[in-house]
Amino acid sequence: MKLLIYWILTGVAIATLLIGFRSMIYPVSATALGIIGWTVTPYIYLALMLKLVTKKILIITVSVLAISLGVFGLWAFIKAMFFDNDAQSSLVFIVIPLWQWLILLIISLPIYFLTRTKTIN
């Protein structure tokens, strides 16, 4: 199950990078590369979190979180860049990862404490 989620996270991260590079204005600036790098950080964190959890219920929780955040992020990037393309569409590369990180930080605290207990199988 972990391998499937790793593949999904990798696919979503690559798709996000491709959308970012496609919408980038050339010549490429370091700021644009930093913002595009910022968009994949939630997926890297989810992969690390999935690697650290060992209990079955936590693996399922992180997997559901990874799939839902991945689908939401990819949907938002595609919608903003290809369907609602206007002057503010590129702000999605800053706002969506911010919302993803907020959700991840809220969910990570209970997951951290649940990994410390011995009663969950």
Side-chain angles (χ1 to χ4, degrees):
M1 180 162 173
K2 281 187 174 184
L3 184 63
L4 176 65
I5 300 303
Y6 287 135
W7 279 105
I8 290 171
L9 286 173
T10 304
V12 169
I14 290 172
T16 302
L17 287 173
L18 290 174
I19 292 169
F21 286 132
R22 187 184 182 292
S23 63
M24 194 182 318
I25 298 172
Y26 294 96
V28 178
S29 68
T31 305
L33 289 176
I35 289 173
I36 291 174
W38 161 251
T39 61
V40 296
T41 57
Y43 309 125
I44 295 169
Y45 179 77
L46 278 165
L48 291 174
M49 189 187 323
L50 189 62
K51 182 178 179 9
L52 294 176
V53 295
T54 56
K55 298 173 184 166
K56 187 175 182 177
I57 188 73
L58 296 178
I59 291 172
I60 293 171
T61 303
V62 173
S63 299
V64 168
L65 183 65
I67 291 171
S68 60
L69 283 181
V71 167
F72 166 70
L74 201 56
W75 171 79
F77 291 132
I78 289 171
K79 186 175 183 318
M81 289 292 105
F82 300 119
F83 297 114
D84 297 334
N85 198 2
D86 63 356
Q88 287 81 26
S89 290
S90 59
L91 288 175
V92 76
F93 288 103
I94 297 171
V95 174
I96 295 301
L98 187 67
W99 280 104
Q100 288 174 330
W101 271 110
L102 181 68
I103 292 168
L104 283 173
L105 292 176
I106 290 170
I107 299 293
S108 293
L109 194 62
I111 289 175
Y112 171 75
F113 286 119
L114 287 173
T115 58
R116 311 285 289 172
T117 62
K118 304 283 185 198
T119 58
I120 296 177
N121 290 327

